[in-house]
């Protein structure tokens, strides 16, 4: 088990370069470069950046889905490829997918067994997760009947099942209606008050501004800036974001 003083997520001078081969020639492209980032215990950290600037690469590195070209990534002091590290992670992709013929109860039962949730507490864990995301009344409907907002809720329930200490969320409110956005926001805030640490990547600056205490901005694969809520208290996060990613654009 990790020590209490170890960071939930640490990037130490991490670089990820993609190599593609075609007709004997290699093509190199940038993922992230020289990334130093320490996600603190109990915080919601927002990751911002334009498309193609390294957000998805950063999330995949934290999940152990990619191996860094250089540098180290640690989840509670462990390599994210280790099962013990992954057991402490909960992941919500931008577009969660579930087999359409399964009900939420059946889908969560499958993922709970993969996550080694004890059999004796399986039903209670599933019902608790569905209740937390507001889907208990729809627990036996087919996923094919669900709206995007309902699938997003189910995705969050799946991430919560094994009660992880660290959540990695990719665009959790993208394309949702205002009520669903409100509900997801409240769910994340509740998880945080219960002690969870959250890494949140999003294009929704207003939601990041509401939820996060610190925000990192990626530009061309580098962490160009880390801001705190005190930094954007006066002029807002959007203005600081634009100044960082497009410094030549004059702002009022």
């Amino acid at each position: 088990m990790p020590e209490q003083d170890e960071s939930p997520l640490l990037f130490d001078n991490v670089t990820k370069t993609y190599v593609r081969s075609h007709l004997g020639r290699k093509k190199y492209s940038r993922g992230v470069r020289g990334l130093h980032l320490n996600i603190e215990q109990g915080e919601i950290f927002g990751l911002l950046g334009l498309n193609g600037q390294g957000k998805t690469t950063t999330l995949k590195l934290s999940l152990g889905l990619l191996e860094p070209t250089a540098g180290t990534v640690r989840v509670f002091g462990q390599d994210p490829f280790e099962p013990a590290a992954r057991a402490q992670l909960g992941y919500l992709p931008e577009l969660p997918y579930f087999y359409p013929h399964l009900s939420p109860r059946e889908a969560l039962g499958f993922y709970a067994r993969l996550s080694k949730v004890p059999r004796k507490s399986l039903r209670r864990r599933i019902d608790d997760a569905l209740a937390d995301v507001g889907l208990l009344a729809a627990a036996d409907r087919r996923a094919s009947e669900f709206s995007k907002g309902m699938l997003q809720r189910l995705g969050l329930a799946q991430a919560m099942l094994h009660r992880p200490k660290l959540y990695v969320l990719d665009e959790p409110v993208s394309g949702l209606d205002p009520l669903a956005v409100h509900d997801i926001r409240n769910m994340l805030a509740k998880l945080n008050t219960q002690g969870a640490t959250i890494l949140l990547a999003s294009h929704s600056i207003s939601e990041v501004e509401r939820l996060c205490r610190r925000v990192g901005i990626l530009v061309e694969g580098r962490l160009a800036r880390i801001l705190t809520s005190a930094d954007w208290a006066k002029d807002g996060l959007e203005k600081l974001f634009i100044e960082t990613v497009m410094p030549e654009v004059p702002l009022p």
Side-chain angles (χ1 to χ4, degrees):
M1 294 296 292
E3 297 295 332
Q4 292 297 314
D5 60 349
E6 287 175 338
S7 300
L9 184 58
L10 176 67
F11 294 84
D12 184 10
N13 198 26
V14 172
T15 291
K16 176 60 182 178
T17 302
Y18 296 101
V19 182
R20 295 174 177 85
S21 297
H22 180 65
L23 300 177
R25 295 183 177 180
K26 290 185 177 181
K27 182 179 180 181
Y28 299 88
S29 59
R30 176 260 309 148
V32 294
R33 294 183 294 173
L35 179 60
H36 291 275
L37 180 60
N38 183 16
I39 308 297
E40 298 173 0
Q41 176 64 45
E43 77 170 326
I44 304 180
F45 188 94
L47 197 61
L48 295 175
L50 300 177
N51 288 334
Q53 302 304 298
K55 297 193 305 298
T56 298
T57 297
T58 301
L59 297 189
K60 288 183 176 180
L61 287 165
S62 70
L63 295 164
L65 298 177
L66 288 176
E67 187 172 1
T69 307
T72 56
V73 182
R74 290 292 180 264
V75 175
F76 293 102
Q78 303 170 89
D79 191 310
F81 283 86
E82 293 293 329
R86 292 183 174 183
Q88 300 182 79
L89 285 164
Y91 174 50
L92 175 66
E94 180 178 0
L95 297 172
Y97 175 83
F98 298 93
Y99 292 114
H101 63 282
L102 294 182
S103 69
R105 199 184 301 279
E106 291 168 334
L108 294 186
F110 170 73
Y111 286 109
R113 288 188 289 274
L114 284 180
S115 299
K116 294 182 170 47
V117 173
R119 184 175 295 275
K120 63 181 181 181
S121 59
L122 197 66
R123 178 62 181 251
R124 178 176 55 82
R125 287 277 192 98
I126 291 171
D127 284 354
D128 286 349
L130 289 171
D132 285 340
V133 301
L135 285 180
L136 191 56
D140 298 307
R141 289 172 54 186
R142 290 189 176 187
S144 59
E145 303 172 18
F146 279 20
S147 66
K148 186 177 189 301
M150 294 175 76
L151 288 173
Q152 203 79 347
R153 291 169 189 262
L154 183 54
L156 187 55
Q158 176 270 320
M160 296 165 53
L161 264 179
H162 57 296
R163 297 176 180 170
K165 297 178 180 179
L166 172 64
Y167 288 84
V168 177
L169 311 178
D170 190 3
E171 299 286 357
V173 298
S174 174
L176 302 186
D177 62 51
L179 180 58
V181 170
H182 175 270
D183 288 346
I184 294 290
R185 184 195 308 136
N186 286 346
M187 291 175 213
L188 299 184
K190 181 179 178 182
L191 287 173
N192 184 237
T193 59
Q194 293 172 346
T197 303
I198 299 173
L199 172 61
L200 166 66
S202 180
H203 284 117
S204 178
I205 292 177
S206 62
E207 289 304 312
V208 170
E209 196 170 25
R210 290 187 187 204
L211 280 168
C212 301
R213 183 176 65 83
R214 291 197 304 152
V215 168
I217 301 175
L218 287 167
V219 178
E220 297 184 352
R222 294 190 181 277
L223 189 60
R225 200 172 183 182
I226 292 182
L227 302 166
T228 69
S229 55
D231 294 322
W232 68 73
K234 181 181 178 181
D235 296 323
L237 182 56
E238 182 179 57
K239 182 176 181 180
L240 296 175
F241 174 76
I242 294 173
E243 287 176 351
T244 303
V245 301
M246 301 181 68
E248 73 280 4
V249 176
L251 295 175

